[in-house]
Amino acid sequence: MTRIDPAPTVTLANGVEMPQLGLGTWPMTDDEAAKAVATAIETGYRLIDTAENYKNETGVGQGIRDAGVARDEVFLTTKMNKQWHSVDGARRACEASLERLGLDYIDLFLIHWPNPDQGTYVEAFEGLTRLLEAGLVRAIGTSNFLPHHLNDLFAAGFVPHVNQIQLDPYHLRPDITAIHAEKGIVTESWSPIGRAGEMLADPAITRIAEAHGKTPAQIVLRWQVQSGFVPAPKSADPERQAQNLDVFGFALTDSDMAALNGLDRPDPDMLDANSFGH
């Protein structure tokens, strides 16, 4: 097995250190997640991302135990569904996730989608703050929150440590990342190298990959971390896991970054957090 040095960390607003690249686990089953997580941690990963809705928290917890690394060396993120969007519901969601994971605490606990039709994501976030005070979680945040959802939290006196969003060179999301920069919120990206492979075949990306002797995925992940984002690519393949983590030993040039930043495009099929959620 190829072993890669663990990723450097970014510091969240409350001082917690979060690895700058992690393993996504959707849509793995429990069995798949147990194997992939164990392999990833043995390879050098220290950030693992799951969610209640992925239905693989049990497997993720098993993979963490099977890897044989001390619990405090692994940064575990999970997310809660919309039925828990209340102050008390957040506590119940956290306790249920901890039971499935077989862990004593969660490093980062997120609201998975705002579900604005319910109108209770501010109360849900208040519940997260109480979990933080109780020591059940080390950091708290949101996932898929748009600017107006974040502004509702700010108006109530809350600022997430992290907002996890779909972000890649085709989806730059500057309206959200500008708010993150202003408020000290870390941007974490899901599907950071795209889903169908179209983006990785883009000539602008393949040209840069050839120039650096890297894979297109490594170029996009290097763009992510060099931009200050925290990507969590999903892979169960040990070789690809190692490649995805091995992006801290080279740098993209200013012209490389400019080329990648010029790939943003409209996407009418992107999930809309005002109407989609679970």
Side-chain angles (χ1 to χ4, degrees):
M1 177 183 296
T2 303
R3 296 186 184 276
I4 308 294
D5 289 340
T9 61
V10 296
T11 305
L12 305 184
N14 65 343
V16 168
E17 297 290 322
M18 177 180 182
Q20 204 186 350
L21 189 147
L23 179 78
T25 62
W26 184 86
M28 299 179 191
T29 64
D30 275 324
D31 287 345
E32 290 168 342
K35 294 171 186 169
V37 167
T39 301
I41 293 173
E42 290 164 6
T43 297
Y45 284 76
R46 292 297 179 266
L47 167 61
I48 307 296
D49 182 90
T50 183
E52 172 188 1
N53 209 64
Y54 299 173
K55 296 180 169 49
N56 63 15
E57 288 174 309
T58 299
V60 167
Q62 187 62 52
I64 291 173
R65 287 186 293 277
D66 289 347
V69 169
R71 169 67 184 95
D72 62 5
E73 292 185 28
V74 178
F75 190 101
L76 185 281
T77 302
T78 193
K79 317 172 194 78
M80 69 177 184
N81 281 351
K82 64 183 180 181
Q83 66 264 38
W84 311 112
H85 281 201
S86 65
V87 174
D88 293 337
R91 176 72 179 239
R92 294 196 296 274
C94 180
E95 291 175 345
S97 282
L98 286 171
E99 184 173 352
R100 288 189 291 268
L101 290 159
L103 301 177
D104 296 326
Y105 66 90
I106 292 164
D107 294 280
L108 175 63
F109 197 40
L110 307 178
I111 300 171
H112 204 155
W113 289 88
N115 295 283
D117 57 314
Q118 293 185 166
T120 51
Y121 53 82
V122 174
E123 290 87 343
F125 198 86
E126 181 181 349
L128 296 190
T129 67
R130 297 191 184 184
L131 296 173
L132 193 64
E133 293 165 358
L136 290 173
V137 303
R138 298 177 63 228
I140 55 177
T142 53
S143 182
N144 302 300
F145 272 48
L146 299 174
H148 61 285
H149 305 136
L150 292 171
N151 286 330
D152 287 341
L153 295 182
F154 304 153
F158 302 131
V159 180
H161 297 131
V162 173
N163 187 30
Q164 185 184 106
I165 58 174
Q166 182 182 3
L167 187 150
D168 58 53
Y170 281 180
H171 306 86
L172 295 186
R173 319 296 297 277
D175 56 334
I176 304 178
T177 57
I179 293 173
H180 292 177
E182 178 187 348
K183 292 289 188 177
I185 300 168
V186 167
T187 302
E188 186 173 12
S189 48
W190 58 262
S191 283
I193 54 177
R195 286 185 167 182
E198 177 196 1
M199 186 178 66
L200 297 183
D202 190 294
I205 294 174
T206 58
R207 278 196 302 269
I208 296 170
E210 289 168 8
H212 287 273
K214 302 293 181 180
T215 68
Q218 286 175 314
I219 294 303
V220 174
L221 290 170
R222 179 63 208 179
W223 170 85
Q224 293 267 2
V225 300
Q226 202 163 313
S227 300
F229 308 140
V230 178
K234 174 258 179 184
S235 180
D237 178 79
E239 182 178 355
R240 197 165 297 114
Q241 285 181 352
Q243 287 178 347
N244 288 348
L245 184 59
D246 190 17
V247 297
F248 296 96
F250 74 102
L252 299 175
T253 66
D254 291 345
S255 61
D256 293 337
M257 293 295 287
L260 292 165
N261 287 328
L263 296 178
D264 195 23
R265 56 167 71 176
D267 182 0
D269 296 324
M270 188 167 67
L271 294 175
D272 181 2
N274 285 314
S275 57
F276 179 86
H278 42 63

